[in-house]
Amino acid sequence: MSSPSSTADRSAWIGLLGGSALIGLAAVVPWLVGWEVHARSSEASRSGVAPPLHGFLEPRVTMGTLAATAFAVLVVVTVRTDRLARLSWGRLLTLSYVAGLAWLLLLGLTDGSAGISRVLGSPHEYLETARSVGSIGDLLSGFVALIPRDAPDHWVTHVAGHPPGALLFFVALVRMGLGGDLSAGLVVTALAATTPVAVLTTLRTLGAEATGRRAATLLTFSPGAVFMAVSADAVFTAVTAWGATALAVAATRSSRTATWGWGLIAGLLLGLGVFLSYGLVLFGLLALGVLLAARSARALLPALIGAWVIVGLFAWGGFVWWQAFPVLRERYWDGIAADRPGSYWMWANFAAFLVAGGPWVAAAIGRWLSAPCRIGKPAALLVGAAITTLVLADLSQMSRAEVERIWLPFLPWVTVSTAALNNRWRLIGLAGQLLWAIAVETLFYTTW
C-alpha cells in the first residue's frame, strides 16, 4: 500500500508531466504537420510565430534579464529562510504587493521602458482611441454602431472586442494626465500587483488563512506576470479579484449594515467587470463559489443590486450589454477567429493558459484533483469554480487563441491550488516558476 506522500508525489508528477506535454504538443504539432492555426495575424516583417502563444520566437538577453534573474535568486533564498511563516498577516500582504510589483516591473523592463509602454501604445489597443474621445455620452450611445468591421470609422480591435468600460478606464487616465504610454503602463502594473493581495484576503476572510500562506509565494511570483504588466486584462483581473474579496467580506459579516455595504461594493465591482470584458460574465461562477465557501447567501441581494446599478448606468448612457454582445460576436467571426481551427484551439487554449500559469500549476491541479480537500473546502470551491469557468469559456468558442491574456482573471484562483503541494514541491516549484517566467520573457516576443 502506497504512503500518502508517495501518492501526493505521483499525482503532482502526473499533473506536471501532463501539463508540460500539453504545452509541447501545442507548440510542436502545427510545425510537424504543417498546420496553419493562425496563432496571430500574419505579418510579412516577422517570422517565427510561436503557437499557442500570440507572439513570436525572438530570443534576447538584456541587462533587464540579468536583473530579473538576480531578483529570482533572491526570492528563492529568502523563502528558504522560512521568514514568511513568521510574518504577521499585514506584513505578508504588504510584502506580497511590494515584491509582486517588483517582479512585474523587472519582467516588463527586460526590454527597457518599451516593455511597459509598447503594448498599450499599439494602435490596436485603447490609449490611442481614448485620447480622441470627446463626449462620454456620445461614446456610449454610438458604441455599438461602431463595432462591425464594415462600419465607417469602426473601433480598433481591442476597443471593439470589449464593452466600453475598458475604453472608459483609459479615457479616465488620459483626463487625469496619465494617458502617456509609459505612465498608463505603470498604472496598469501597479493595479495588477494588487491581485495576489485580493486573493489572499479573500482566502483569509473565508477561513482559509493557512491555505493562503502556503499559496502566497506562487501567487505573488506567477509567470502570469509576463502578461499582467503590459495588458489591460490585468486591470480586469484586479477589479474582479477585489469584487470577490468584497463579496467574501459581505457574506461573512454578522452586521446587516456591513453585509449590505460590502455587498453593494462587491456588486459594483463585479458588475463593472462585465463591462470591462464580455467574458467576465463567467466570473459569476467564482462569485457563487465565494458564497458557497462562506455558506451564506446574505450578500447575494445587495451584490445583485450593485451589479444592476452598473447595468443601469451604462444603459442610461446608451449602451446595452445584451444588445452589443451579438454584434461583437458577428465581428469576432468575421475576423481571424473563423480561420482558427477549433480542432486545435479547443485543447491548445489550455496549453496557452499553462504557459501563463507555469507548469507547476498543472502539478498543483493534479494534486488538487487527487485530494481536493487538502487545501480546505473554501479554497477547493474557488479552485473548482475557476477551472469550471475555463472549461465553459473554452466551450463557448469565443476564446480561440490569446487566452494567455484573456483568461488572466481566472489564473490567480487556479493558482490557489498550489497550496495542495507539499513544502518540497512548493519550494522547487517557486524556483521553477520564476525560471519559467524569465524563459518566456526572454525567448518570446509575447505581443502583450
Side-chain angles (χ1 to χ4, degrees), residues 379-403:
L381 284 168
L382 297 180
V383 172
I387 292 174
T388 302
T389 299
L390 295 182
V391 172
L392 291 176
D394 193 55
L395 291 175
S396 76
Q397 292 288 289
M398 289 294 288
S399 299
R400 286 190 181 180
E402 306 178 42
V403 298

Side-chain angles (χ1 to χ4, degrees), residues 202-203 205-208 243-245 247-249 251-252 270 281-297 300 376-389 413:
T202 302
L203 290 170
T205 302
L206 295 172
T245 302
L247 187 63
V249 173
T252 55
L270 294 174
V281 69
L282 293 175
F283 202 88
L285 277 177
L286 261 160
L288 179 60
V290 169
L291 294 178
L292 289 174
R295 293 181 292 181
S296 172
L300 181 59
K377 188 174 181 180
L381 284 168
L382 297 180
V383 172
I387 292 174
T388 302
T389 299
W413 304 98

